[in-house]
Amino acid sequence: MAYISVCKLCNSENVELRDSHIIPEFLFKNVYTSKHKFIPIEVDGIDGKVHQKGFRENLLCQGCETKLSLWERELSLFMHFLSGGKSNVFSLTTVGSNTVVEGINYDLAKKALISILWRMSISTLQFFADYDIGIYEERFRNWLHQDLPFDIQDFPILVSKGYISGIYQTGLLMPITQGSYGKHIKMESVVLDGVIFDFLLTDGNVIPIEVELFSLHPEGRVIIQNKEYSEYGIDLSSFSRRVKDKDVLDFFSKHD
Ligand SMILES: [Zn+2]
């Protein structure tokens, strides 16, 4: 049955809303929640794809869905490369303990990521209940709707690989909300497919020099750090034990 209402992005009235993804489907394989438990995910036996029915909501008209899918495509290429995929566009250099990735379409990737933060904030789903970016909801909506470019100063995004006790954990999807960068900058974070994205809610203000250096940059590069989840005050030791269990290893091997 068609769901007719107001599109949350373009504000068009009396339009058919799609069953929109809050998190694009390519970004989750294994779901692990802040409540430290697995959500059952459904595997379609025919195409082998993993479906999580809980991450959809009637949000967007078809026109806005199409617009988002263009941005998300760039993000999916980037994520694929990060997980070891081949690419003719991206390049990777190791500098100390960090990894520099170049060749990213900054405009598209940043809009995809900001749109995910925006969707998590406006979502009424319980999984995203802790996301509330307040006044930025409307600002992001307007920014994305008008397809305006983001400057480096506008909501820098830091990218890290998430580790538990020295081991990189692929495939995790997990909310980490309401942190801060230093004392003054509010930060929202999310783990998508094992990669931690920190969104700094600085709006055109001067940003710390290291943020400008490391964050997703208009020149098409980002410096990826390795971070332990314990840095976020999250105790994942029970999860760490669980991944060593045979049933959990089987679970991961089936879904990778
Ligand atoms: Zn729309």
Side-chain angles (χ1 to χ4, degrees), residues 135-152:
I135 55 162
Y136 295 111
E137 255 177 32
E138 175 55 19
R139 298 222 41 207
F140 284 164
R141 187 203 65 76
N142 191 44
W143 215 300
L144 296 167
H145 171 49
Q146 294 195 55
D147 214 343
L148 300 172
F150 286 95
D151 194 0
I152 182 74

Side-chain angles (χ1 to χ4, degrees), residues 34-98:
S34 53
K35 303 283 187 284
H36 299 194
K37 65 183 181 199
F38 285 98
I39 289 177
I41 49 180
E42 188 182 315
V43 182
D44 186 319
I46 298 163
D47 63 6
K49 280 173 101 179
V50 176
H51 300 281
Q52 221 303 341
K53 297 215 185 281
F55 295 145
R56 287 169 172 270
E57 201 169 341
N58 296 111
L59 291 183
L60 308 174
C61 71
Q62 184 57 53
C64 289
E65 279 281 339
T66 303
K67 187 157 112 178
L68 258 59
S69 70
L70 293 174
W71 302 338
E72 288 173 0
R73 173 158 172 75
E74 177 68 17
L75 183 61
S76 79
L77 295 173
F78 173 62
M79 296 298 286
H80 178 69
F81 181 71
L82 270 194
S83 62
K86 296 261 181 291
S87 170
N88 297 324
V89 179
F90 302 114
S91 69
L92 186 148
T93 317
T94 304
V95 181
S97 60
N98 303 305

Side-chain angles (χ1 to χ4, degrees), residues 7-12 15 59-65:
C7 174
K8 299 287 188 297
L9 185 55
C10 68
N11 281 346
S12 297
V15 289
L59 291 183
L60 308 174
C61 71
Q62 184 57 53
C64 289
E65 279 281 339

